Amino acid sequence: MSSATVAKPQAQRPARGGRTFSLPVLLLIIAGVLVLTSIVRLITGADGITSTGQMSTALRLAVPIGLAGLGGLWSERSGVVNIGLEGMMILGTWFGAWAGYQWGPWVGVVFGIIGGALGALLHAIATVTFNVNHIVSGVALNILALGATRYLSKFTFANTTEGSSKQSPPIDSLGTFDVPGLSSWLDTLNQKHWFLISDLAGLIGGLVTDLSPLTVIAVALVPVTWWVLWRTAFGLRLRSCGENPVAAESLGVNVYKYKYIAVIISGGFAGLGGAFLSIVASNVYLDGQTAGRGYIGLAAMIFGNWMPGGLALGAGLFGYTDSLNLRGGTVNVHALILLIAILLVIGAAYLVWRKRYVPGVVTAVIGVLMFVWYATTNEVPRQVVTATPYVVTLLVLSLSAQSLRMPKADGLPYRKGQGK
């Protein structure tokens, strides 16, 4: 069976509802947002919104979200909805800390992946073999993972030095590094506060400063995922299971096998994100450490239209908003209110140009209200800063929901031979 044969049914179906932005157009949009951000920085004086430190923190916070999103991408491209990403991340944090404390951080990373994969195996057995509703299975896994790790912590960490029933002992660091020469030069350029140039320097500098080896691996997994799923026969067969499993089966694809593989890989990615939290982001396991990042990773995947590149942009956006909470965010968030207001006005003009008058008017009204909020205040309450990542998650999903196309058979029950 050739890969072209499997691809044929999918090629004949129009991709309704999908985004049509080409790469040059997408890069132009990103460049435009960066120019607007630079203008807002000059108007408000909030230099921290594009500082090297801000971008470096945003990258570190985006990695676990992106890894969870990659996990969701693998699972849902095979047709299995994975609400259980949060539970798999929780298992990754605990297993990573447990093994990392005893045998070193790299062993902890491996065990974090194994922990997430074990949770995914339970999800695969429930959804693929027994046809349990995917949402029910995912929620049950989240509850099970939370209870299991709290129970295990009482026996493993409670009696250890510097540990407790809710916290592991410290774990050795994987270390960090900068790109020699480039990091310091970009940081110096960023501190000049020049229009656009310093903002670009801050953005790029954040990607090459204070890096963990695990961060580099996580970033590399994005293009690796794209290549495997869109440039190999294995990926083509896996995606066919999420689009039309009956047609895939008729062409000789073992749908059960590919769904199991995809869901287990999905759990491995989520577990790696959990291990990143307990070993890199902080060198201890803490009860409640994931803080909903599995769900935000799922939101990043949806925002990215089930594509690795869009997912990475979504994870970066959520990581950036989360970083505002850690680096004096009240002033920076106040400046971003102005940026959002400008973007909303531009979006309203675009909607009116497309003759979508009602959404255009609503968007314009919201933009005006944001302008009024910015003009009548000097800073935002700390509570707003804390809630920013979650508010952004809801806003992004609500605004992008009309232009998304999920895999056609995502979440639908499947039984071998059902097409006969």
Side-chain angles (χ1 to χ4, degrees):
M1 178 187 64
S2 66
S3 58
T5 304
V6 179
K8 188 174 181 181
Q10 186 174 341
Q12 293 177 339
R13 179 176 32 78
R16 296 178 60 189
R19 290 196 178 106
T20 58
F21 291 144
S22 63
L23 180 60
V25 172
L26 184 60
L27 292 176
L28 187 62
I29 292 173
I30 294 173
V33 172
L34 188 60
V35 169
L36 287 176
T37 303
S38 186
I39 293 172
V40 167
R41 178 181 61 80
L42 293 176
I43 293 174
T44 62
D47 296 322
I49 62 176
T50 58
S51 68
T52 301
Q54 186 79 58
M55 297 303 176
S56 179
T57 303
L59 176 62
R60 188 170 67 250
L61 293 171
V63 165
I65 295 173
L67 287 170
L70 280 176
L73 175 68
W74 275 84
S75 180
E76 300 210 7
R77 278 293 175 179
S78 73
V80 179
V81 174
N82 196 351
I83 297 294
L85 290 169
E86 179 76 5
M88 297 169 197
M89 285 192 79
I90 292 172
L91 292 172
T93 59
W94 189 89
F95 275 92
W98 173 73
Y101 160 64
Q102 300 181 81
W103 302 302
W106 284 111
V107 176
V109 170
V110 173
F111 269 77
I113 295 172
I114 293 172
L118 288 174
L121 180 61
L122 293 177
H123 186 54
I125 292 172
T127 56
V128 179
T129 302
F130 294 103
N131 255 342
V132 174
N133 181 276
H134 298 192
I135 305 298
V136 172
S137 175
V139 171
L141 179 62
N142 292 337
I143 297 171
L144 176 64
L146 183 61
T149 51
R150 286 180 176 177
Y151 178 78
L152 291 171
S153 294
K154 294 179 181 180
F155 295 95
T156 53
F157 300 142
N159 298 322
T160 58
T161 305
E162 299 184 71
S164 69
S165 61
K166 295 186 177 181
Q167 177 179 320
S168 73
I171 305 162
D172 292 338
S173 173
L174 291 172
T176 59
F177 66 93
D178 299 338
V179 176
L182 182 60
S183 298
S184 57
W185 177 70
L186 288 171
D187 186 50
T188 301
L189 193 59
N190 176 250
Q191 293 179 16
K192 299 289 186 182
H193 306 311
W194 294 334
F195 173 73
L196 192 58
I197 296 175
S198 293
D199 303 289
L200 280 171
L203 175 61
I204 300 172
L207 303 178
V208 296
T209 302
D210 196 27
L211 293 174
S212 164
L214 201 55
T215 301
V216 177
I217 293 172
V219 172
L221 287 172
V222 176
V224 168
T225 291
W226 172 83
W227 182 80
V228 171
L229 291 182
W230 274 268
R231 287 296 181 269
T232 67
F234 167 81
L236 190 58
R237 294 186 181 101
L238 187 148
R239 288 186 292 116
S240 72
C241 296
E243 294 291 345
N244 194 333
V246 174
E249 180 190 345
S250 70
L251 295 170
V253 175
N254 188 332
V255 177
Y256 281 177
K257 181 182 78 172
Y258 278 91
K259 285 180 179 288
Y260 262 90
I261 291 173
V263 175
I264 291 172
I265 291 175
S266 170
F269 275 116
L272 180 60
F276 185 94
L277 287 173
S278 60
I279 297 174
V280 177
S282 63
N283 67 332
V284 293
Y285 160 81
L286 294 169
D287 186 26
Q289 193 167 29
T290 56
R293 286 181 175 86
Y295 299 113
I296 297 178
L298 193 65
M301 178 206 67
I302 296 171
F303 165 77
N305 207 14
W306 288 265
M307 294 292 290
L311 182 156
L313 287 176
L317 172 63
F318 299 136
Y320 178 78
T321 55
D322 201 9
S323 70
L324 297 175
N325 192 31
L326 299 178
R327 298 182 60 88
T330 55
V331 176
N332 293 340
V333 171
H334 185 252
L336 288 179
I337 291 174
L338 177 59
L339 175 62
I340 293 171
I342 295 172
L343 291 174
L344 285 171
V345 170
I346 294 173
Y350 173 76
L351 290 170
V352 171
W353 177 70
R354 294 292 301 272
K355 297 182 180 181
R356 298 177 60 187
Y357 298 113
V358 173
V361 171
V362 172
T363 303
V365 170
I366 297 174
V368 170
L369 291 176
M370 296 293 284
F371 270 119
V372 172
W373 186 11
Y374 171 78
T376 56
T377 58
N378 293 321
E379 62 179 29
V380 296
R382 187 69 190 180
Q383 294 85 346
V384 174
V385 179
T386 304
T388 296
Y390 308 100
V391 173
V392 167
T393 302
L394 293 174
L395 285 175
V396 166
L397 288 180
S398 61
L399 292 174
S400 62
Q402 300 301 316
S403 59
L404 301 176
R405 192 195 75 82
M406 65 192 297
K408 190 175 181 181
D410 193 17
L412 299 181
Y414 166 78
R415 283 293 184 189
K416 186 175 180 179
Q418 70 180 36
K420 294 180 180 179

